[in-house]
Amino acid sequence: MALGAFRGILPSLQKDDLNSKSALTIIDREVEKVKSYMVTLWRQRNTFIPISRLPPEILSTIFYFVKESAAEDSLYWTKVSHVCHLWREIAINSPSLWTNPPLASIRWTEEMLSRSKMASLAVSANFCAFSHRYAPTIDPLPLILPHTPRIKSLDLCHYDHYVMQRFLSQMPESAPRLEHLRLRFAPHPQLSTSSDSVLSMNKIFEAVKLRVLELTRCALNWDSRVFGPLLVHLQMSFIPTNARPTVEQFWNAFDRMPALESIEFVDALPLTRSPGYTHPQIFLDKLRKLTISSSNSEVEIFLSGIIFPSTVAVKLSCKTGTHHDEGFRSVLTQVSSFFSSSVSRPGMKIRELDVYPSSYVMNGYSTRFIIKSSDDDSPSMRIVLPDLDLDLQTILGGIPRIICNQVVQDFCASMPLTNLVALRFGEASLLSMDTLAESFGTLPHLRSLSVSGSNAHNLVLALQKVQLHPSTNYRDTPPSLYFQSLCSISMDDIYFYDDDGDMTVGLLEDCFIWRYECGAEIHTLKLTECSRLVSSDVERLREIIVDIEWDELETGFSDEDEDEDDNDLYDDYLDDDDIYSDDDYATLAWY
């Protein structure tokens, strides 16, 4: 049809009086008609392709999954709107596809805010991660402000205090659709920002549907209605002391949050108790995860005000200036109460304990305890409960070995460890023989002991230590050792030395022989990734302990060690007179 029309104008193009400009105009006009005709044909052709016969709602859903599968902050998925006219029309008229405006691009932000119409928005941007190449030259946050009533999720991380504070001060007081609010202020080291600077949201902010609240270096009015009955996750970090709530404000806010399932506070708790103020303990029956990192006194204030089920995974990081701090012992008392029976929670028994003595942390040392417990039911019905992770930190200024031993002694004195059956040490070299023996060696049900690290010398000495009982006559009865119930030992990444006084295979042999003679025999031994341990050493140990599991890795030897071993073998070869007689040597001389 279009070709026939084009042939119809050919005679007019052959007129002698037709100039070039007029001819080009006629031809261009006809070319546009042909293009339009071809587009119409292609669109008609596309209607017969099976995927184009799907309802628009189905295609829109497919586009949504393509978008969700794309990398974060990637706009590659928008190419679905460039495939054909139908797909583009469906995509552009699907507001749910355009609800994540990329604030790194002003043009795309404006376009998506327009295409999303009145759909709920999910605004997310980490300005601290933007490189100079992709950072917006114009602040995009003012573009979001008119659309605050339809924001469902707001997640912002910014390094510029002025920019973020201006945005927060201009936000309306009500966000009726807001369910997730995450605000993080991370000052840039090159900007002149005070270490105590904090974002302020002190006006009464209302978000009745809020379920998740995470604030970092951001002060919020604790009388605000963001602390509401629908809130399930609360996280507050690095709140300066001048912006923290009073104890009364704190507990009044918790009264309004009965549905909390996850709580995390990092240097954000009230500093001191309010004189004369008392508040009944709050039972958070839906709580599943609790993470606290703060000073001992602040942690103690928090733990004394709440009660939660025994199924909660607890991680506590307590900081103190000295191991003699009374707040430290108060925290241990609070933690030990987790394992006693009460009206709101059944009793628990500590079954396994991991100890990581004195690892270096910022400005101090950390001694970490991971407690695994179960309920009080019979073994056949026993329920294993989540771990309790307790990290006790002391600032620099003391001797790490002394501090570590004191912390472990205080912990063992406070915790109900009677039912402990398995004990693991991440590194035992800092703990003295006396601390190991007296803190753990008297536990009646301890059957399994594991140690990993370079040196287990003190632990092996503690296994040989005799319990002194003034009324015992040692002439008539064998000595009573510590760790009487112990029957299984596991050693991982232990370095065996050749010199006396260090961790040697000989020391291990003497330990196992002594325990056997005293009636406290070790039945199983596991050795993995141990350095300078060879098969002959393991065979010597098997003469004492039959059940030994060894990974057969012989590591930790230098080239000099191997040369010495070769020389020793050669010397043994020369010293062995039974190998060849004089006649044999005479015979061998011919070869």
Side-chain angles (χ1 to χ4, degrees), residues 534-546:
V534 296
S535 57
S536 58
D537 296 330
V538 177
E539 291 305 317
R540 286 159 49 195
L541 293 173
R542 280 201 171 100
E543 295 178 1
I544 310 168
I545 301 177
V546 177

Side-chain angles (χ1 to χ4, degrees), residues 250-261:
F250 187 78
W251 291 126
N252 287 341
F254 264 81
D255 281 334
R256 305 194 298 271
M257 299 182 287
L260 281 174
E261 298 178 5

Side-chain angles (χ1 to χ4, degrees), residues 189-222:
Q190 296 182 356
L191 296 179
S192 57
T193 306
S194 171
S195 59
D196 290 335
S197 61
V198 61
L199 298 176
S200 177
M201 294 182 63
N202 286 327
K203 62 183 178 182
I204 304 297
F205 186 72
E206 182 176 1
V208 294
K209 292 187 177 181
L210 195 66
R211 295 175 53 82
V212 174
L213 177 61
E214 296 182 6
L215 301 177
T216 301
R217 293 187 177 89
C218 183
L220 187 64
N221 190 319
W222 283 78

Side-chain angles (χ1 to χ4, degrees), residues 558-570:
S558 62
D559 294 338
E560 290 78 6
D561 293 328
E562 294 178 359
D563 292 340
E564 291 178 4
D565 292 340
D566 292 340
N567 292 333
D568 292 339
L569 290 173
Y570 182 68

Side-chain angles (χ1 to χ4, degrees), residues 454-474:
S454 60
N455 199 336
H457 179 260
N458 290 342
L459 181 60
V460 176
L461 293 180
L463 293 174
Q464 303 177 66
K465 188 175 181 182
V466 176
Q467 297 189 57
L468 299 178
H469 302 290
S471 59
T472 302
N473 186 352
Y474 293 107

Side-chain angles (χ1 to χ4, degrees), residues 386-405:
D387 295 350
L388 190 154
D389 192 332
L390 179 61
D391 186 9
L392 305 178
Q393 300 180 10
T394 54
I395 65 172
L396 290 174
I399 301 175
R401 185 180 299 274
I402 296 176
I403 293 176
C404 175
N405 281 270

Side-chain angles (χ1 to χ4, degrees), residues 62-355:
I62 293 174
F63 297 161
Y64 177 80
F65 286 124
V66 172
K67 169 192 169 185
E68 291 298 305
S69 63
E72 187 177 1
D73 298 329
S74 172
L75 295 175
Y76 186 79
W77 67 270
T78 59
K79 291 185 179 295
V80 299
S81 64
H82 302 161
V83 174
C84 66
H85 176 77
L86 175 63
W87 283 27
R88 180 172 181 79
E89 184 178 4
I90 292 176
I92 291 179
N93 288 282
S94 299
S96 60
L97 295 178
W98 312 99
T99 56
N100 304 95
L103 299 188
S105 170
I106 297 295
R107 185 178 68 84
W108 266 110
T109 297
E110 293 176 336
E111 189 66 29
M112 286 196 177
L113 290 175
S114 173
R115 293 182 183 181
S116 61
K117 297 181 173 60
M118 291 305 296
S120 297
L121 298 174
V123 180
S124 176
N126 184 357
F127 291 91
C128 299
F130 288 159
S131 65
H132 292 293
R133 180 179 177 184
Y134 298 105
T137 56
I138 303 175
D139 181 16
L141 293 179
L143 299 175
I144 304 297
L145 284 172
H147 303 274
T148 302
R150 61 188 184 100
I151 293 179
K152 184 177 182 180
S153 175
L154 180 61
D155 185 349
L156 299 177
C157 179
H158 214 298
Y159 57 85
D160 194 318
H161 182 274
Y162 173 76
V163 172
M164 278 290 284
Q165 189 59 64
R166 181 180 61 184
F167 171 73
L168 294 176
S169 62
Q170 294 175 355
M171 282 187 65
E173 296 182 357
S174 177
R177 299 191 197 179
L178 190 62
E179 295 184 8
H180 299 78
L181 177 60
R182 296 182 177 92
L183 299 176
R184 290 162 289 169
F185 171 49
H188 196 282
Q190 296 182 356
L191 296 179
S192 57
T193 306
S194 171
S195 59
D196 290 335
S197 61
V198 61
L199 298 176
S200 177
M201 294 182 63
N202 286 327
K203 62 183 178 182
I204 304 297
F205 186 72
E206 182 176 1
V208 294
K209 292 187 177 181
L210 195 66
R211 295 175 53 82
V212 174
L213 177 61
E214 296 182 6
L215 301 177
T216 301
R217 293 187 177 89
C218 183
L220 187 64
N221 190 319
W222 283 78
D223 296 323
S224 172
R225 291 187 63 185
V226 296
F227 302 106
L230 299 182
L231 198 66
V232 296
H233 173 74
L234 176 62
Q235 175 181 327
M236 305 190 76
S237 305
F238 307 115
I239 308 299
T241 56
N242 58 358
R244 298 190 192 183
T246 64
V247 171
E248 184 175 0
Q249 290 175 320
F250 187 78
W251 291 126
N252 287 341
F254 264 81
D255 281 334
R256 305 194 298 271
M257 299 182 287
L260 281 174
E261 298 178 5
S262 174
I263 298 175
E264 180 173 349
F265 285 105
V266 179
D267 294 334
L269 293 173
L271 298 175
T272 58
R273 299 180 184 274
S274 299
Y277 174 76
T278 58
H279 191 282
Q281 285 186 312
I282 300 173
F283 181 46
L284 300 175
D285 60 321
K286 294 181 175 59
L287 192 64
R288 296 294 176 265
K289 182 180 179 181
L290 174 63
T291 302
I292 304 293
S293 177
S294 197
S295 69
N296 289 324
S297 59
E298 294 162 9
V299 173
E300 193 272 331
I301 290 174
F302 180 82
L303 295 180
S304 64
I306 65 168
I307 307 174
F308 47 84
S310 57
T311 53
V312 176
V314 180
K315 183 175 183 180
L316 302 178
S317 180
C318 308
K319 307 167 189 177
T320 180
T322 168
H323 60 272
H324 296 296
D325 185 2
E326 288 300 325
F328 180 84
R329 295 189 177 91
S330 298
V331 169
L332 287 176
T333 301
Q334 292 288 344
V335 173
S336 65
S337 67
F338 296 168
F339 304 96
S340 58
S341 300
S342 65
V343 176
S344 58
R345 58 188 296 164
M348 298 186 293
K349 293 181 178 179
I350 299 177
R351 304 290 183 181
E352 301 179 26
L353 175 64
D354 296 355
V355 183

